[in-house]
Amino acid sequence: LAKTTQPISMDSYEGQEVNITCSHNNIATNDYITWYQQFPSQGPRFIIQGYKTKVTNEVASLFIPADRKSSTLSLPRVSLSDTAVYYCLVGEGNQGGKLIFGQGTELSVKP
Amino acid sequence: EAGVAQSPRYKIIEKRQSVAFWCNPISGHATLYWYQQILGQGPKLLIQFQNNGVVDDSQLPKDRFSAERLKGVDSTLKIQPAKLEDSAVYLCASSLMRTDNYEQYFGPGTRLTVT
């Protein structure tokens, strides 16, 4: 299973765009890239998933370059409520696969 | 749609005592996971069930931890005897059995304190 590396912490201000980059140099052909968000005293929550190029949903965008050795989660116009820990994961899928959570990136959004 | 339910939410026990956690996954989700999350760390997978069969329990400390998923629905995780280092949040998650989607739905967790 590919290991991921991401910054331990990031600071931002309300209204800014936040980009969190994750490296996964040993990603395998069948692996997808997934991001989760976790608030204090809650379980992680799925944000977005992608395989290549760009994926966008109502919450975030995920940019994946052609070599797939890294990915960037983009949060547009963050608010105070986006303060959380963000995890980048690489995995093979639910059927027999498993996800390994790293330490995550603690994002702090200030007013 | 109801989410993943867990109980209890909090539990305080003394070392060497036993404890059990219960999880009810989202209806129709064939895959169920138990994670251990120590303060300041990401969740660590303890065991994964597919229906009522174990898919992966490689990180489950089998000398003290056990888990079962009778009838492929609810699941129970037990610790016996507990150690101080078992203090953590125990998260249950469930998902559909798909190869192209990694969305796991997590419950609120059970915070265990071992004194």
Side-chain angles (χ1 to χ4, degrees):
Chain A
L1 289 165
K3 180 181 175 183
T4 61
T5 303
Q6 52 185 121
I8 296 209
S9 64
M10 292 182 68
D11 290 332
S12 182
Y13 291 93
E14 280 191 295
Q16 288 187 331
E17 178 185 72
V18 171
N19 295 308
I20 306 174
T21 297
C22 176
S23 66
H24 26 79
N25 292 317
N26 297 321
I27 189 168
T29 303
N30 296 332
D31 287 345
Y32 282 74
I33 299 155
T34 311
W35 286 79
Y36 277 77
Q37 174 192 56
Q38 186 174 27
F39 297 113
S41 300
Q42 295 186 25
R45 183 175 72 106
F46 174 90
I47 300 175
I48 197 166
Q49 170 190 311
Y51 184 78
K52 61 181 179 181
T53 64
K54 177 184 174 182
V55 179
T56 298
N57 62 22
E58 64 276 5
V59 177
S61 294
L62 179 59
F63 299 92
I64 305 169
D67 66 5
R68 303 196 333 117
K69 293 184 182 300
S70 68
S71 59
T72 299
L73 175 72
S74 181
L75 304 172
R77 298 180 298 281
V78 294
S79 63
L80 297 176
S81 61
D82 292 317
T83 295
V85 178
Y86 292 83
Y87 295 98
C88 166
L89 302 97
V90 171
E92 295 176 15
N94 291 327
Q95 205 161 13
K98 65 181 181 182
L99 299 176
I100 296 180
F101 285 81
Q103 194 166 4
T105 297
E106 188 170 1
L107 173 65
S108 178
V109 180
K110 302 174 183 179
Chain B
E1 177 182 83
V4 175
Q6 289 188 248
S7 67
R9 290 297 312 278
Y10 305 91
K11 190 73 177 179
I12 301 174
I13 61 172
E14 296 181 350
K15 60 184 179 184
R16 291 186 289 273
Q17 286 187 324
S18 63
V19 65
F21 312 125
W22 173 82
C23 172
N24 181 234
I26 293 174
S27 177
H29 281 193
T31 310
L32 185 146
Y33 314 79
W34 282 102
Y35 290 85
Q36 179 193 59
Q37 186 170 26
I38 293 172
L39 187 64
Q41 299 180 17
K44 182 181 84 169
L45 180 67
L46 293 176
I47 189 167
Q48 176 182 346
F49 291 95
Q50 197 86 293
N51 296 308
N52 60 349
V54 176
V55 173
D56 185 344
D57 62 356
S58 58
Q59 298 195 91
L60 185 73
K62 298 179 185 64
D63 58 332
R64 298 184 300 105
F65 286 65
S66 65
E68 60 183 9
R69 191 183 184 197
L70 299 176
K71 300 181 182 179
V73 182
D74 293 8
S75 178
T76 302
L77 177 70
K78 297 179 181 178
I79 307 175
Q80 181 178 10
K83 293 185 176 181
L84 296 177
E85 58 260 37
D86 297 332
S87 293
V89 175
Y90 291 84
L91 295 162
C92 178
S94 70
S95 69
L96 294 167
M97 194 171 70
R98 291 171 56 180
T99 58
D100 62 346
N101 187 290
Y102 291 74
E103 187 165 3
Q104 296 182 19
Y105 296 81
F106 284 80
T110 296
R111 182 177 297 276
L112 174 67
T113 302
V114 182
T115 63

